[in-house]
Structures are given as structure tokens and as C-alpha cells.
Amino acid sequence: MTLIKRVGKALAVIVVVLAVSGFAGHQYVNHVEKQRPVVTLAKHPEKVLFFYRDDCPDCQSIFHQIYWHNAISHNIVLINMNQPQNRHYIQKYQLTSVPTLIHGKQRYTGTNQQRIKQIVGD
């Protein structure tokens, strides 16, 4: 087998592995997004609060960015507002829409990538 064929096969294997890994990672994040755990914020006093709904298109558009940032920095609490027991946070944090990020006195509602990075600390 020539060197070019070996390199070609190796590259093909790498591309397939990366594609499968990317797809699996994407599917896993989508699975996490759909989970509806009850969140107790007293356990997370210094973290960024990310309020979202798993059926909200704007929330879905930024969820992967938020998730992967949190996978590295561990500074975000994901709060799915479709969980009925999380809805008391609507009054507590005066939420009017999602997605909303709150960190200390900083607050942002929307999908602007630059504003999100400012809040989460990128």
C-alpha cells in the first residue's frame, strides 16, 4: 500500500470518528437540555443562573454555547422553567421571558453572543 493510500485511509478514519463524536456530543447536550431537574439555588450562591425552557427556540439557539462553557468552567446553573417546581423563581427573580442569565447584579435576557459572554465570563 502506498503512503498516499495509508494517509488517505487514516484521514478518512479520523473524519468519521470526529463526525460520530460530534453527533454524539450534540445528541447528549440535547438530552441534557430536555431534563427537568428541580433546582435549589441555595447550593449555588456565586454561580451564573441560566433560566430557559426546553421548548423555547431562542433558548435552544444558545443552550449548546452555555452548556459547553459550563462543562469547562462549572460556573452556571441550568434551570429549566418547564419544571413546575422551578417556577417559583419567576417571582423571586422577576423573570419576564427566557432565556435569561443572571450573575450577581448583571442580568441579560436574549441571545446576543457578546452579552452572554460578558455574563458567563468568557
Side-chain angles (χ1 to χ4, degrees), residues 46-105:
E46 300 298 319
K47 295 196 176 199
V48 176
L49 307 178
F50 176 52
F51 296 96
Y52 73 99
R53 285 191 352 245
D54 58 68
D55 58 355
C56 160
D58 284 342
C59 301
Q60 292 169 349
S61 74
I62 64 169
F63 190 87
H64 283 253
Q65 173 191 0
I66 300 291
Y67 176 84
W68 288 114
H69 174 85
N70 192 49
I72 295 167
S73 66
H74 305 290
N75 70 332
I76 302 172
V77 180
L78 307 173
I79 307 155
N80 189 340
M81 298 309 290
N82 280 336
Q83 165 54 260
Q85 292 181 358
N86 290 338
R87 291 194 183 138
H88 67 278
Y89 294 124
I90 293 170
Q91 281 188 322
K92 181 175 182 177
Y93 291 98
Q94 299 172 351
L95 301 173
T96 57
S97 63
V98 290
T100 296
L101 292 137
I102 299 174
H103 187 223
K105 295 197 182 283

Side-chain angles (χ1 to χ4, degrees), residues 12-70:
V13 168
I14 290 170
V15 167
V16 168
V17 167
L18 289 174
V20 169
S21 298
F23 178 75
H26 181 79
Q27 291 299 97
Y28 177 74
V29 174
N30 286 343
H31 167 74
V32 170
E33 180 182 13
K34 301 295 183 208
Q35 292 179 340
R36 297 180 179 179
V38 175
V39 177
T40 305
L41 294 182
K43 298 177 185 176
H44 312 286
E46 300 298 319
K47 295 196 176 199
V48 176
L49 307 178
F50 176 52
F51 296 96
Y52 73 99
R53 285 191 352 245
D54 58 68
D55 58 355
C56 160
D58 284 342
C59 301
Q60 292 169 349
S61 74
I62 64 169
F63 190 87
H64 283 253
Q65 173 191 0
I66 300 291
Y67 176 84
W68 288 114
H69 174 85
N70 192 49

